[in-house]
Amino acid sequence: MNKKDVAKHMSDFLKENGFKKKGNRFFKIEGCCIFTIIFEPCSSIRPGFFIYPLYYPFAFNSLSFGNHLCYYKDRKFHDLDRESSELEFENWISKLKNILSNDVFVHFEEINSFSKLSDFLDKGYDYVKRYWFVSVDDYYILRSYTDFIMGRKDRMEKDIERGIYWINDFNTHEHIKAEWKSKLEILNDKFDRTPDEKKIFIDNIVENTLSACLGENWQSLTDSSSIFTIDFSNS
């Protein structure tokens, strides 16, 4: 048994739920997010779900927001041993479909628009980490970009300050600290720019995130007319 067997057995189910396959991942784009289901190669078969907010500047296909199902909520779902019998495999697949349908997909629906995701983040880090295995610095960075779009300057500045504090606390690599501090300084600077400049800024992040997560040919995998964009003219 291997991860390709799982992807093969799950393919029809996930496609019926609107996902497309790319490598060992299945993805769909709704609202401001790429939602993914993954089957990671490791000593056992480990499925997980991860969310990529399109307005967050991903430099690569990282697993910052989401969780492996073995760590999700009450941790009742377990990885599958590669030496499992056919019957154990079939039972595990059935349980996997059940937790996806009745829990993970429900969570996706709860955050499948910008306003819903913003409300979810507003509930605080302790609440969010019930669902996502997310570092506190990533949480505040995502909130900073959300504040920017919402036009909440005072809170954005506070969240940027918190984000930088936790970046300094969590990261030992100076180049990573410098990169994120630079991005957050640019974010802060863009707040008082014209609506057109702010739209171009976010649109560029969206395109870069799509490329980082789905590859340079992301246009062939998506309906570009429905990709997330923001009108800042009323801000």
Side-chain angles (χ1 to χ4, degrees):
M1 210 68 65
N2 59 46
K3 67 185 178 67
K4 290 184 179 178
D5 295 318
V6 176
K8 179 179 179 181
H9 278 78
M10 293 298 295
S11 182
D12 289 344
F13 170 79
L14 288 168
K15 287 177 180 178
E16 288 169 4
N17 283 277
F19 290 83
K20 298 179 180 180
K21 189 174 186 300
K22 183 174 174 59
N24 69 330
R25 300 170 182 234
F26 292 82
F27 77 92
K28 69 176 176 179
I29 299 174
E30 284 189 355
C32 63
C33 294
I34 304 172
F35 296 101
T36 64
I37 304 296
I38 71 168
F39 302 101
E40 273 201 307
C42 56
S43 58
S44 57
I45 300 172
R46 174 167 292 180
F49 68 91
F50 292 90
I51 297 101
Y52 299 88
L54 290 168
Y55 59 91
Y56 181 93
F58 289 95
F60 57 93
N61 200 353
S62 67
L63 305 179
S64 300
F65 308 112
N67 222 330
H68 292 101
L69 294 182
C70 60
Y71 299 124
Y72 182 56
K73 287 190 173 179
D74 55 16
R75 302 190 177 196
K76 290 183 179 179
F77 189 85
H78 303 290
D79 297 345
L80 179 70
D81 191 304
R82 290 182 180 275
E83 303 304 319
S84 297
S85 68
E86 286 298 323
L87 179 59
E88 288 171 328
F89 178 74
E90 290 173 6
N91 289 337
W92 185 86
I93 288 288
S94 178
K95 290 179 181 177
L96 175 58
K97 290 179 179 179
N98 185 63
I99 192 173
L100 289 175
S101 295
N102 297 320
D103 206 323
V104 175
F105 294 165
V106 173
H107 176 54
F108 287 175
E109 290 177 5
E110 291 171 345
I111 57 172
N112 66 358
S113 71
F114 177 75
S115 60
K116 289 180 182 179
L117 179 58
S118 177
D119 289 344
F120 174 70
L121 296 172
D122 282 350
K123 293 180 180 180
Y125 177 66
D126 287 341
Y127 180 84
V128 170
K129 69 179 183 180
R130 296 181 197 172
Y131 295 84
W132 299 354
F133 185 78
V134 57
S135 65
V136 66
D137 55 332
D138 281 330
Y139 168 75
Y140 280 114
I141 292 169
L142 177 56
R143 274 216 342 187
S144 298
Y145 281 87
T146 306
D147 295 334
F148 177 88
I149 292 174
M150 293 291 289
R152 303 183 294 208
K153 185 173 184 178
D154 288 346
R155 204 178 88 166
M156 181 191 73
E157 290 174 343
K158 291 178 182 177
D159 283 338
I160 287 174
E161 184 179 347
R162 293 183 183 116
I164 290 174
Y165 171 83
W166 287 109
I167 288 168
N168 287 331
D169 189 64
F170 276 4
N171 285 288
T172 57
H173 300 290
E174 292 300 324
H175 70 282
I176 294 177
K177 293 181 185 180
E179 180 181 353
W180 274 114
K181 288 177 183 178
S182 174
K183 286 180 179 180
L184 291 172
E185 286 171 2
I186 291 170
L187 178 70
N188 197 31
D189 175 69
K190 293 289 184 182
F191 192 92
D192 293 319
R193 300 295 182 90
T194 67
D196 285 345
E197 287 176 302
K198 291 162 81 170
K199 176 175 170 50
I200 290 170
F201 172 63
I202 293 297
D203 285 350
N204 285 337
I205 291 175
V206 169
E207 289 196 16
N208 289 335
T209 293
L210 285 163
S211 181
C213 296
L214 301 180
E216 294 182 358
N217 66 334
W218 63 266
Q219 292 94 337
S220 66
L221 301 172
T222 63
D223 176 8
S224 58
S225 65
S226 63
I227 295 299
F228 174 75
T229 188
I230 288 289
D231 180 4
F232 287 94
S233 59
N234 295 320
S235 62

